Amino acid sequence: MSFHHPAFLWLLALPLIWGFWQWVRRGHAVALPFDHGGLREGRVLRFFIHLAGSLPAVLLAVAVLMLAGPRRPAPPTDERVLNNILLCIDVSGSMSVPFGGNGTRFEAAVAAAQAFCDFREGDAFGLTVFGSEYLHWVPPTRELSAVSNAMKYVRPSNMPGWMGGTLIANALRGCREQLLQVAEGDRAVVLISDGSSADFNNGGDRAVAEELAADGIRVFGILIGDGAGAGGLETVSAATGGKMFVVGDSGALDEVFREIDRMQKARFKPSTADWVDYHEPFAIAGLAALLLYALTLLGLRYTPW
């Protein structure tokens, strides 16, 4: 146990002096007729009277201790290791194609990604959109509302014409740069696209995979559609310890995110115990002393004359 304000503890000298005086003081003796008789001295009764007279000093000591702010170490807890997950979503024109009768490919991907973010509360999420170029819309943050609100504006129809292509390797290098700015925690990219990437040719997929793996960044690829051009993304996912998925409907998309959740598990580490207030025993002792003192006032005291 410790105290927030140990400087106040010197005030405990006051109740000690008060209690000592209560036991040694003689008071103002008054000679009564029976004082010269053969009655006993009443030492036992005097002891309890002195003890009762010391209860106010006990109350003062309790007040001083509570003023000093007693505290104790809190029970140890496990701290969640932060996962920094960057959602990298394709906004090329082909993502506007209807998908499974529930909107477009982009809308289905966004809905599943939002549900994934809500389920993984406690992790940091960022949003990057890409086509021929990439744009970091939201850096990794625990404020999930920032990612959710951004989803309303980053639509393929709102993108300029020069974003119409699909360059996945270029987008992954941009995600790597973004995640390297994060000081702590695990790093992962969930990339959602619907097409093949020209910059995966001539060993481009292996090159970007080696860069990401060297920095401990896992890639989970989600390819919407028939899976054409999946080879490059599959190479990157496997090399970084992630996995690539091909989905043909929105239900399968939800299942993919559940699988990613199982693979990118939340980890915990023991945290240093903090100090918490510890007033309970002193409050109980003070209430008990106050109750006893109130009872002693009914008769266990020296007469006032």
Side-chain angles (χ1 to χ4, degrees), residues 239-261:
T240 58
K243 189 175 180 180
M244 198 210 70
F245 307 87
V246 178
V247 297
D249 57 72
S250 56
L253 193 57
D254 293 333
E255 180 59 35
V256 163
F257 275 103
R258 285 193 287 271
E259 177 66 18
I260 294 175
D261 175 68

Short mmCIF file of all heavy atoms in Angstrom, two decimals, residues 239-261:
data_model
loop_
_atom_site.label_atom_id
_atom_site.label_comp_id
_atom_site.label_asym_id
_atom_site.label_seq_id
_atom_site.Cartn_x
_atom_site.Cartn_y
_atom_site.Cartn_z
N ALA A 239 3.39 -15.31 -49.48
CA ALA A 239 4.74 -14.94 -49.06
C ALA A 239 4.75 -14.12 -47.77
O ALA A 239 5.74 -14.11 -47.04
CB ALA A 239 5.45 -14.17 -50.17
N THR A 240 3.67 -13.42 -47.49
CA THR A 240 3.62 -12.56 -46.30
C THR A 240 2.91 -13.22 -45.12
O THR A 240 2.74 -12.58 -44.07
CB THR A 240 2.90 -11.24 -46.63
OG1 THR A 240 1.58 -11.52 -47.12
CG2 THR A 240 3.67 -10.46 -47.68
N GLY A 241 2.48 -14.46 -45.27
CA GLY A 241 1.80 -15.14 -44.18
C GLY A 241 0.31 -14.91 -44.15
O GLY A 241 -0.36 -15.29 -43.19
N GLY A 242 -0.23 -14.32 -45.21
CA GLY A 242 -1.67 -14.10 -45.29
C GLY A 242 -2.33 -15.16 -46.13
O GLY A 242 -1.89 -16.31 -46.19
N LYS A 243 -3.39 -14.76 -46.82
CA LYS A 243 -4.13 -15.71 -47.65
C LYS A 243 -4.92 -14.94 -48.68
O LYS A 243 -5.31 -13.79 -48.44
CB LYS A 243 -5.06 -16.56 -46.77
CG LYS A 243 -5.72 -17.72 -47.49
CD LYS A 243 -6.53 -18.58 -46.51
CE LYS A 243 -7.20 -19.75 -47.21
NZ LYS A 243 -7.98 -20.58 -46.25
N MET A 244 -5.17 -15.57 -49.82
CA MET A 244 -5.98 -14.95 -50.86
C MET A 244 -7.30 -15.69 -50.99
O MET A 244 -7.36 -16.93 -50.87
CB MET A 244 -5.25 -14.97 -52.20
CG MET A 244 -5.83 -13.97 -53.19
SD MET A 244 -5.67 -14.48 -54.91
CE MET A 244 -6.82 -15.83 -54.98
N PHE A 245 -8.37 -14.94 -51.21
CA PHE A 245 -9.71 -15.51 -51.33
C PHE A 245 -10.35 -15.04 -52.63
O PHE A 245 -10.17 -13.88 -53.04
CB PHE A 245 -10.59 -15.07 -50.15
CG PHE A 245 -10.01 -15.34 -48.80
CD1 PHE A 245 -9.16 -14.42 -48.19
CD2 PHE A 245 -10.29 -16.53 -48.12
CE1 PHE A 245 -8.63 -14.66 -46.94
CE2 PHE A 245 -9.76 -16.78 -46.87
CZ PHE A 245 -8.93 -15.84 -46.28
N VAL A 246 -11.10 -15.91 -53.24
CA VAL A 246 -11.90 -15.56 -54.42
C VAL A 246 -13.36 -15.72 -54.02
O VAL A 246 -13.78 -16.78 -53.53
CB VAL A 246 -11.57 -16.47 -55.62
CG1 VAL A 246 -12.47 -16.11 -56.81
CG2 VAL A 246 -10.11 -16.33 -56.01
N VAL A 247 -14.15 -14.66 -54.18
CA VAL A 247 -15.55 -14.69 -53.76
C VAL A 247 -16.45 -14.39 -54.95
O VAL A 247 -16.12 -13.56 -55.82
CB VAL A 247 -15.81 -13.68 -52.61
CG1 VAL A 247 -15.01 -14.05 -51.39
CG2 VAL A 247 -15.45 -12.26 -53.04
N GLY A 248 -17.59 -15.07 -54.96
CA GLY A 248 -18.54 -14.87 -56.05
C GLY A 248 -19.85 -14.26 -55.63
O GLY A 248 -20.69 -13.94 -56.47
N ASP A 249 -20.08 -14.11 -54.31
CA ASP A 249 -21.33 -13.49 -53.83
C ASP A 249 -21.06 -12.82 -52.49
O ASP A 249 -20.03 -13.03 -51.84
CB ASP A 249 -22.45 -14.53 -53.71
CG ASP A 249 -22.07 -15.68 -52.80
OD1 ASP A 249 -22.02 -15.47 -51.58
OD2 ASP A 249 -21.80 -16.79 -53.33
N SER A 250 -22.03 -12.01 -52.03
CA SER A 250 -21.85 -11.23 -50.81
C SER A 250 -21.78 -12.11 -49.57
O SER A 250 -21.08 -11.80 -48.60
CB SER A 250 -22.99 -10.21 -50.65
OG SER A 250 -24.25 -10.87 -50.68
N GLY A 251 -22.49 -13.25 -49.57
CA GLY A 251 -22.42 -14.15 -48.43
C GLY A 251 -21.02 -14.72 -48.25
O GLY A 251 -20.52 -14.84 -47.13
N ALA A 252 -20.40 -15.08 -49.37
CA ALA A 252 -19.03 -15.58 -49.30
C ALA A 252 -18.08 -14.49 -48.83
O ALA A 252 -17.09 -14.76 -48.14
CB ALA A 252 -18.60 -16.10 -50.67
N LEU A 253 -18.37 -13.24 -49.16
CA LEU A 253 -17.53 -12.13 -48.72
C LEU A 253 -17.54 -11.99 -47.21
O LEU A 253 -16.50 -11.77 -46.57
CB LEU A 253 -18.01 -10.84 -49.39
CG LEU A 253 -17.10 -9.62 -49.31
CD1 LEU A 253 -15.73 -9.93 -49.89
CD2 LEU A 253 -17.73 -8.44 -50.04
N ASP A 254 -18.70 -12.16 -46.58
CA ASP A 254 -18.79 -12.11 -45.13
C ASP A 254 -17.98 -13.25 -44.50
O ASP A 254 -17.30 -13.06 -43.48
CB ASP A 254 -20.26 -12.20 -44.69
CG ASP A 254 -21.05 -10.98 -45.08
OD1 ASP A 254 -20.44 -9.90 -45.22
OD2 ASP A 254 -22.28 -11.09 -45.26
N GLU A 255 -18.06 -14.43 -45.09
CA GLU A 255 -17.32 -15.57 -44.56
C GLU A 255 -15.81 -15.35 -44.68
O GLU A 255 -15.04 -15.76 -43.81
CB GLU A 255 -17.73 -16.84 -45.30
CG GLU A 255 -17.01 -18.10 -44.82
CD GLU A 255 -17.23 -18.37 -43.34
OE1 GLU A 255 -18.34 -18.09 -42.83
OE2 GLU A 255 -16.28 -18.87 -42.70
N VAL A 256 -15.39 -14.69 -45.74
CA VAL A 256 -13.96 -14.39 -45.92
C VAL A 256 -13.46 -13.52 -44.77
O VAL A 256 -12.38 -13.76 -44.21
CB VAL A 256 -13.73 -13.69 -47.27
CG1 VAL A 256 -12.36 -13.01 -47.30
CG2 VAL A 256 -13.83 -14.70 -48.39
N PHE A 257 -14.22 -12.50 -44.40
CA PHE A 257 -13.78 -11.62 -43.31
C PHE A 257 -13.76 -12.36 -41.98
O PHE A 257 -12.91 -12.07 -41.13
CB PHE A 257 -14.68 -10.38 -43.24
CG PHE A 257 -14.25 -9.29 -44.17
CD1 PHE A 257 -14.94 -9.05 -45.35
CD2 PHE A 257 -13.16 -8.50 -43.87
CE1 PHE A 257 -14.54 -8.04 -46.21
CE2 PHE A 257 -12.76 -7.47 -44.72
CZ PHE A 257 -13.45 -7.25 -45.91
N ARG A 258 -14.64 -13.32 -41.80
CA ARG A 258 -14.58 -14.12 -40.58
C ARG A 258 -13.32 -14.98 -40.56
O ARG A 258 -12.69 -15.18 -39.51
CB ARG A 258 -15.84 -14.99 -40.46
CG ARG A 258 -17.09 -14.21 -40.04
CD ARG A 258 -18.21 -15.16 -39.64
NE ARG A 258 -18.80 -15.81 -40.81
CZ ARG A 258 -19.82 -15.31 -41.51
NH1 ARG A 258 -20.36 -14.17 -41.15
NH2 ARG A 258 -20.31 -15.98 -42.54
N GLU A 259 -12.93 -15.48 -41.72
CA GLU A 259 -11.69 -16.26 -41.81
C GLU A 259 -10.47 -15.39 -41.54
O GLU A 259 -9.53 -15.79 -40.86
CB GLU A 259 -11.60 -16.90 -43.20
CG GLU A 259 -10.32 -17.68 -43.44
CD GLU A 259 -10.20 -18.93 -42.58
OE1 GLU A 259 -11.24 -19.37 -42.04
OE2 GLU A 259 -9.08 -19.44 -42.44
N ILE A 260 -10.49 -14.17 -42.06
CA ILE A 260 -9.38 -13.24 -41.79
C ILE A 260 -9.30 -12.92 -40.30
O ILE A 260 -8.21 -12.84 -39.72
CB ILE A 260 -9.56 -11.94 -42.61
CG1 ILE A 260 -9.43 -12.25 -44.10
CG2 ILE A 260 -8.55 -10.88 -42.18
CD1 ILE A 260 -9.72 -11.05 -45.00
N ASP A 261 -10.44 -12.78 -39.66
CA ASP A 261 -10.46 -12.52 -38.22
C ASP A 261 -9.82 -13.67 -37.45
O ASP A 261 -9.09 -13.45 -36.48
CB ASP A 261 -11.90 -12.30 -37.75
CG ASP A 261 -12.00 -12.15 -36.25
OD1 ASP A 261 -11.51 -11.14 -35.72
OD2 ASP A 261 -12.56 -13.06 -35.59
#
